[in-house]
Amino acid sequence: MSTSVYLCCYISEHGLFGLYHWAIVLARGRLNQPVSLYSITQAGLEKWKQTHKIDAILFKERDILALVPLPRLNVPFEEVAAFLSAEDPERGNSLHFHKTWSSAQWIIRCLQRMNSFGWFTTTPAGNLSDRDDYYEYMYTQKALRCETALKARATFPDYVGEIVDGVRLLRP
């Protein structure tokens, strides 16, 4: 059995252009059915907490910019969910990159670990082995490009994706 996985980019709670909150979405079926969202948020100075949502309805979630489909995982949903639930929200001994610890860094660390376990059915687009490169790829080629195109009222599917089951789905 395989599991569908997506990277979800939210417009930040501050509403600032180019600032995003990241989450991992696990879906058992269509995107208009309940999904599980996994992420972290800051809980104080240098403190982080898990902010997972089980049985979330994506089209009811506020501030979602878009989802980026990742290659399917060749492990059951429950195993992936257990792995993500157990992932420490703190930086720990993870190498620092880009700026400070963030939801994006936590997501990339989780994706790198899943990749090292051999869970992806194919190699994800972008250079997942290099955190800086992968962050820049997802940030500039997916989230920022989509937000910029939407603000310009562009309709190019390569930039803004398409609406599927009530949510914007970018091309992989």
Side-chain angles (χ1 to χ4, degrees):
M1 177 170 216
S2 65
T3 302
S4 296
V5 62
Y6 303 84
L7 189 144
C8 179
C9 288
Y10 288 84
I11 302 295
S12 83
E13 64 273 8
H14 307 295
L16 299 173
F17 180 79
L19 187 60
Y20 311 105
H21 178 77
W22 293 24
I24 290 177
V25 174
L26 297 183
R28 294 179 190 264
R30 297 186 57 94
L31 293 172
N32 60 356
Q33 297 174 342
V35 300
S36 294
L37 294 165
Y38 297 88
S39 190
I40 62 169
T41 55
Q42 203 158 11
L45 190 62
E46 296 298 316
K47 289 289 195 187
W48 293 85
K49 65 179 180 177
Q50 295 177 336
T51 52
H52 308 329
K53 292 182 183 180
I54 308 306
D55 294 330
I57 304 296
L58 286 176
F59 64 84
K60 292 183 179 179
E61 288 289 311
R62 293 190 45 201
D63 301 324
I64 290 180
L65 173 64
L67 299 182
V68 179
L70 298 171
R72 291 182 69 81
L73 301 173
N74 59 15
V75 293
F77 181 98
E78 293 75 17
E79 187 173 345
V80 182
F83 163 75
L84 291 170
S85 294
E87 275 296 290
D88 187 353
E90 301 292 342
R91 181 170 82 85
N93 62 359
S94 296
L95 295 175
H96 235 12
F97 79 102
H98 195 62
K99 292 180 184 169
T100 59
W101 189 242
S102 68
S103 60
Q105 291 193 52
W106 184 82
I107 296 299
I108 293 171
R109 181 179 72 188
C110 291
L111 295 176
Q112 285 180 322
R113 293 196 62 210
M114 288 189 268
N115 194 44
S116 73
F117 299 155
W119 286 2
F120 285 107
T121 54
T122 60
T123 303
N127 183 7
L128 185 55
S129 64
D130 183 304
R131 287 183 182 191
D132 283 327
D133 282 355
Y134 195 73
Y135 175 86
E136 288 301 321
Y137 169 74
M138 282 297 178
Y139 176 79
T140 59
Q141 297 300 311
K142 299 298 179 186
L144 186 62
R145 182 166 73 171
C146 176
E147 186 179 18
T148 302
L150 288 171
K151 285 197 181 299
R153 297 198 166 117
T155 59
F156 308 118
D158 285 345
Y159 289 13
V160 299
E162 60 183 315
I163 304 299
V164 175
D165 295 333
V167 293
R168 185 169 304 283
L169 188 62
L170 301 179
R171 293 187 174 167

